[in-house]
PDB file of all heavy atoms in Angstrom:
ATOM      1  N   PHE U   7     -10.588   5.768  44.283  1.00  0.00           N
ATOM      2  CA  PHE U   7     -11.993   6.197  44.486  1.00  0.00           C
ATOM      3  C   PHE U   7     -12.134   7.131  45.654  1.00  0.00           C
ATOM      4  O   PHE U   7     -12.793   8.194  45.566  1.00  0.00           O
ATOM      5  CB  PHE U   7     -12.855   5.004  44.566  1.00  0.00           C
ATOM      6  CG  PHE U   7     -14.389   5.339  44.802  1.00  0.00           C
ATOM      7  CD1 PHE U   7     -15.117   5.753  43.699  1.00  0.00           C
ATOM      8  CD2 PHE U   7     -14.931   5.309  45.980  1.00  0.00           C
ATOM      9  CE1 PHE U   7     -16.470   6.076  43.856  1.00  0.00           C
ATOM     10  CE2 PHE U   7     -16.254   5.663  46.220  1.00  0.00           C
ATOM     11  CZ  PHE U   7     -17.023   6.063  45.111  1.00  0.00           C
ATOM     12  N   ARG U   8     -11.472   6.766  46.744  1.00  0.00           N
ATOM     13  CA  ARG U   8     -11.536   7.592  47.952  1.00  0.00           C
ATOM     14  C   ARG U   8     -10.871   8.983  47.751  1.00  0.00           C
ATOM     15  O   ARG U   8     -11.323   9.973  48.224  1.00  0.00           O
ATOM     16  CB  ARG U   8     -10.957   6.907  49.157  1.00  0.00           C
ATOM     17  CG  ARG U   8     -11.819   5.825  49.635  1.00  0.00           C
ATOM     18  CD  ARG U   8     -11.258   5.203  50.948  1.00  0.00           C
ATOM     19  NE  ARG U   8     -12.101   4.117  51.391  1.00  0.00           N
ATOM     20  CZ  ARG U   8     -11.629   2.935  51.823  1.00  0.00           C
ATOM     21  NH1 ARG U   8     -10.322   2.737  51.832  1.00  0.00           N
ATOM     22  NH2 ARG U   8     -12.449   2.023  52.173  1.00  0.00           N
ATOM     23  N   LYS U   9      -9.786   9.001  46.959  1.00  0.00           N
ATOM     24  CA  LYS U   9      -9.098  10.253  46.657  1.00  0.00           C
ATOM     25  C   LYS U   9     -10.006  11.166  45.842  1.00  0.00           C
ATOM     26  O   LYS U   9     -10.074  12.395  46.182  1.00  0.00           O
ATOM     27  CB  LYS U   9      -7.739  10.026  45.946  1.00  0.00           C
ATOM     28  CG  LYS U   9      -6.675   9.468  46.821  1.00  0.00           C
ATOM     29  CD  LYS U   9      -5.356   9.247  46.018  1.00  0.00           C
ATOM     30  CE  LYS U   9      -4.296   8.708  46.899  1.00  0.00           C
ATOM     31  NZ  LYS U   9      -2.963   8.620  46.211  1.00  0.00           N
ATOM     32  N   ILE U  10     -10.594  10.608  44.788  1.00  0.00           N
ATOM     33  CA  ILE U  10     -11.520  11.405  44.020  1.00  0.00           C
ATOM     34  C   ILE U  10     -12.684  11.939  44.775  1.00  0.00           C
ATOM     35  O   ILE U  10     -13.085  13.095  44.734  1.00  0.00           O
ATOM     36  CB  ILE U  10     -11.972  10.652  42.738  1.00  0.00           C
ATOM     37  CG1 ILE U  10     -10.765  10.240  41.894  1.00  0.00           C
ATOM     38  CG2 ILE U  10     -13.058  11.364  41.999  1.00  0.00           C
ATOM     39  CD1 ILE U  10     -10.110  11.448  41.300  1.00  0.00           C
ATOM     40  N   LEU U  11     -13.326  10.967  45.550  1.00  0.00           N
ATOM     41  CA  LEU U  11     -14.448  11.399  46.444  1.00  0.00           C
ATOM     42  C   LEU U  11     -14.049  12.507  47.388  1.00  0.00           C
ATOM     43  O   LEU U  11     -14.768  13.439  47.606  1.00  0.00           O
ATOM     44  CB  LEU U  11     -14.960  10.207  47.154  1.00  0.00           C
ATOM     45  CG  LEU U  11     -16.222  10.379  48.013  1.00  0.00           C
ATOM     46  CD1 LEU U  11     -17.355  10.847  47.143  1.00  0.00           C
ATOM     47  CD2 LEU U  11     -16.544   9.100  48.770  1.00  0.00           C
ATOM     48  N   GLY U  12     -12.898  12.363  48.006  1.00  0.00           N
ATOM     49  CA  GLY U  12     -12.407  13.395  48.935  1.00  0.00           C
ATOM     50  C   GLY U  12     -12.152  14.734  48.184  1.00  0.00           C
ATOM     51  O   GLY U  12     -12.512  15.773  48.748  1.00  0.00           O
ATOM     52  N   ALA U  13     -11.649  14.692  46.996  1.00  0.00           N
ATOM     53  CA  ALA U  13     -11.389  15.895  46.241  1.00  0.00           C
ATOM     54  C   ALA U  13     -12.675  16.634  45.874  1.00  0.00           C
ATOM     55  O   ALA U  13     -12.814  17.875  46.077  1.00  0.00           O
ATOM     56  CB  ALA U  13     -10.603  15.609  44.943  1.00  0.00           C
ATOM     57  N   ILE U  14     -13.693  15.905  45.400  1.00  0.00           N
ATOM     58  CA  ILE U  14     -14.952  16.542  44.938  1.00  0.00           C
ATOM     59  C   ILE U  14     -15.871  16.936  46.088  1.00  0.00           C
ATOM     60  O   ILE U  14     -16.736  17.728  45.978  1.00  0.00           O
ATOM     61  CB  ILE U  14     -15.659  15.712  43.902  1.00  0.00           C
ATOM     62  CG1 ILE U  14     -16.171  14.379  44.490  1.00  0.00           C
ATOM     63  CG2 ILE U  14     -14.899  15.504  42.686  1.00  0.00           C
ATOM     64  CD1 ILE U  14     -17.072  13.562  43.584  1.00  0.00           C
ATOM     65  N   SER U  15     -15.616  16.328  47.284  1.00  0.00           N
ATOM     66  CA  SER U  15     -16.390  16.751  48.479  1.00  0.00           C
ATOM     67  C   SER U  15     -15.661  17.733  49.404  1.00  0.00           C
ATOM     68  O   SER U  15     -16.164  18.091  50.429  1.00  0.00           O
ATOM     69  CB  SER U  15     -16.873  15.510  49.263  1.00  0.00           C
ATOM     70  OG  SER U  15     -15.715  14.819  49.752  1.00  0.00           O
ATOM     71  N   SER U  16     -14.480  18.159  48.980  1.00  0.00           N
ATOM     72  CA  SER U  16     -13.694  19.105  49.788  1.00  0.00           C
ATOM     73  C   SER U  16     -14.400  20.488  49.729  1.00  0.00           C
ATOM     74  O   SER U  16     -15.120  20.794  48.749  1.00  0.00           O
ATOM     75  CB  SER U  16     -12.287  19.180  49.262  1.00  0.00           C
ATOM     76  OG  SER U  16     -12.232  19.784  48.009  1.00  0.00           O
ATOM     77  N   GLY U  17     -14.141  21.244  50.696  1.00  0.00           N
ATOM     78  CA  GLY U  17     -14.726  22.610  50.812  1.00  0.00           C
ATOM     79  C   GLY U  17     -14.590  23.443  49.579  1.00  0.00           C
ATOM     80  O   GLY U  17     -15.584  23.938  48.964  1.00  0.00           O
ATOM     81  N   PRO U  18     -13.390  23.709  49.082  1.00  0.00           N
ATOM     82  CA  PRO U  18     -13.238  24.561  47.847  1.00  0.00           C
ATOM     83  C   PRO U  18     -13.926  24.092  46.694  1.00  0.00           C
ATOM     84  O   PRO U  18     -14.638  24.857  45.956  1.00  0.00           O
ATOM     85  CB  PRO U  18     -11.680  24.596  47.672  1.00  0.00           C
ATOM     86  CG  PRO U  18     -11.096  24.197  49.001  1.00  0.00           C
ATOM     87  CD  PRO U  18     -12.060  23.334  49.613  1.00  0.00           C
ATOM     88  N   PHE U  19     -13.851  22.829  46.342  1.00  0.00           N
ATOM     89  CA  PHE U  19     -14.532  22.298  45.106  1.00  0.00           C
ATOM     90  C   PHE U  19     -16.023  22.368  45.338  1.00  0.00           C
ATOM     91  O   PHE U  19     -16.726  22.796  44.443  1.00  0.00           O
ATOM     92  CB  PHE U  19     -14.056  20.863  44.855  1.00  0.00           C
ATOM     93  CG  PHE U  19     -14.694  20.225  43.623  1.00  0.00           C
ATOM     94  CD1 PHE U  19     -14.023  20.333  42.437  1.00  0.00           C
ATOM     95  CD2 PHE U  19     -15.925  19.628  43.668  1.00  0.00           C
ATOM     96  CE1 PHE U  19     -14.600  19.765  41.278  1.00  0.00           C
ATOM     97  CE2 PHE U  19     -16.543  19.056  42.576  1.00  0.00           C
ATOM     98  CZ  PHE U  19     -15.886  19.155  41.363  1.00  0.00           C
ATOM     99  N   TYR U  20     -16.490  21.926  46.464  1.00  0.00           N
ATOM    100  CA  TYR U  20     -17.935  21.835  46.696  1.00  0.00           C
ATOM    101  C   TYR U  20     -18.538  23.181  46.703  1.00  0.00           C
ATOM    102  O   TYR U  20     -19.631  23.391  46.090  1.00  0.00           O
ATOM    103  CB  TYR U  20     -18.211  21.130  48.042  1.00  0.00           C
ATOM    104  CG  TYR U  20     -19.596  20.754  48.336  1.00  0.00           C
ATOM    105  CD1 TYR U  20     -20.066  19.594  47.895  1.00  0.00           C
ATOM    106  CD2 TYR U  20     -20.505  21.603  49.031  1.00  0.00           C
ATOM    107  CE1 TYR U  20     -21.450  19.204  48.071  1.00  0.00           C
ATOM    108  CE2 TYR U  20     -21.788  21.253  49.242  1.00  0.00           C
ATOM    109  CZ  TYR U  20     -22.274  20.034  48.787  1.00  0.00           C
ATOM    110  OH  TYR U  20     -23.595  19.694  48.961  1.00  0.00           O
ATOM    111  N   GLN U  21     -17.931  24.199  47.340  1.00  0.00           N
ATOM    112  CA  GLN U  21     -18.434  25.513  47.385  1.00  0.00           C
ATOM    113  C   GLN U  21     -18.460  26.160  45.967  1.00  0.00           C
ATOM    114  O   GLN U  21     -19.368  26.932  45.698  1.00  0.00           O
ATOM    115  CB  GLN U  21     -17.668  26.389  48.330  1.00  0.00           C
ATOM    116  CG  GLN U  21     -17.895  25.962  49.766  1.00  0.00           C
ATOM    117  CD  GLN U  21     -16.864  26.648  50.696  1.00  0.00           C
ATOM    118  OE1 GLN U  21     -15.982  27.350  50.326  1.00  0.00           O
ATOM    119  NE2 GLN U  21     -17.105  26.438  51.990  1.00  0.00           N
ATOM    120  N   LYS U  22     -17.511  25.840  45.157  1.00  0.00           N
ATOM    121  CA  LYS U  22     -17.470  26.488  43.820  1.00  0.00           C
ATOM    122  C   LYS U  22     -18.373  25.818  42.813  1.00  0.00           C
ATOM    123  O   LYS U  22     -18.991  26.543  41.998  1.00  0.00           O
ATOM    124  CB  LYS U  22     -15.996  26.453  43.306  1.00  0.00           C
ATOM    125  CG  LYS U  22     -15.852  27.132  41.942  1.00  0.00           C
ATOM    126  CD  LYS U  22     -14.330  27.165  41.604  1.00  0.00           C
ATOM    127  CE  LYS U  22     -14.209  27.977  40.281  1.00  0.00           C
ATOM    128  NZ  LYS U  22     -12.812  28.051  39.915  1.00  0.00           N
ATOM    129  N   TYR U  23     -18.546  24.518  42.862  1.00  0.00           N
ATOM    130  CA  TYR U  23     -19.208  23.811  41.734  1.00  0.00           C
ATOM    131  C   TYR U  23     -20.496  23.166  42.130  1.00  0.00           C
ATOM    132  O   TYR U  23     -21.315  22.804  41.204  1.00  0.00           O
ATOM    133  CB  TYR U  23     -18.305  22.664  41.154  1.00  0.00           C
ATOM    134  CG  TYR U  23     -17.132  23.216  40.495  1.00  0.00           C
ATOM    135  CD1 TYR U  23     -15.811  23.189  41.085  1.00  0.00           C
ATOM    136  CD2 TYR U  23     -17.209  23.832  39.290  1.00  0.00           C
ATOM    137  CE1 TYR U  23     -14.711  23.630  40.459  1.00  0.00           C
ATOM    138  CE2 TYR U  23     -16.068  24.401  38.591  1.00  0.00           C
ATOM    139  CZ  TYR U  23     -14.854  24.281  39.276  1.00  0.00           C
ATOM    140  OH  TYR U  23     -13.739  24.753  38.587  1.00  0.00           O
ATOM    141  N   VAL U  24     -20.826  22.993  43.353  1.00  0.00           N
ATOM    142  CA  VAL U  24     -22.081  22.348  43.810  1.00  0.00           C
ATOM    143  C   VAL U  24     -23.144  23.332  44.201  1.00  0.00           C
ATOM    144  O   VAL U  24     -22.830  24.176  45.105  1.00  0.00           O
ATOM    145  CB  VAL U  24     -21.838  21.262  44.888  1.00  0.00           C
ATOM    146  CG1 VAL U  24     -23.163  20.697  45.380  1.00  0.00           C
ATOM    147  CG2 VAL U  24     -20.876  20.240  44.479  1.00  0.00           C
ATOM    148  N   ARG U  25     -24.303  23.327  43.634  1.00  0.00           N
ATOM    149  CA  ARG U  25     -25.402  24.158  44.035  1.00  0.00           C
ATOM    150  C   ARG U  25     -26.638  23.270  44.176  1.00  0.00           C
ATOM    151  O   ARG U  25     -27.115  22.660  43.211  1.00  0.00           O
ATOM    152  CB  ARG U  25     -25.686  25.260  42.966  1.00  0.00           C
ATOM    153  CG  ARG U  25     -26.824  26.181  43.381  1.00  0.00           C
ATOM    154  CD  ARG U  25     -27.092  27.294  42.497  1.00  0.00           C
ATOM    155  NE  ARG U  25     -28.170  27.197  41.581  1.00  0.00           N
ATOM    156  CZ  ARG U  25     -29.415  26.765  41.718  1.00  0.00           C
ATOM    157  NH1 ARG U  25     -29.789  26.208  42.832  1.00  0.00           N
ATOM    158  NH2 ARG U  25     -30.284  26.860  40.784  1.00  0.00           N
ATOM    159  N   LEU U  26     -27.167  23.170  45.423  1.00  0.00           N
ATOM    160  CA  LEU U  26     -28.296  22.398  45.646  1.00  0.00           C
ATOM    161  C   LEU U  26     -29.549  23.089  45.053  1.00  0.00           C
ATOM    162  O   LEU U  26     -29.681  24.332  45.191  1.00  0.00           O
ATOM    163  CB  LEU U  26     -28.450  22.086  47.154  1.00  0.00           C
ATOM    164  CG  LEU U  26     -27.285  21.311  47.759  1.00  0.00           C
ATOM    165  CD1 LEU U  26     -27.440  21.135  49.301  1.00  0.00           C
ATOM    166  CD2 LEU U  26     -27.166  19.945  47.137  1.00  0.00           C
TER     167      LEU U  26
END
Side-chain angles (χ1 to χ4, degrees):
F7 178 78
R8 287 188 182 135
K9 284 182 180 185
I10 297 296
L11 184 61
I14 64 174
S15 62
S16 69
F19 182 93
Y20 193 86
Q21 291 169 354
K22 184 174 182 179
Y23 294 106
V24 175
R25 180 176 102 42
L26 299 177

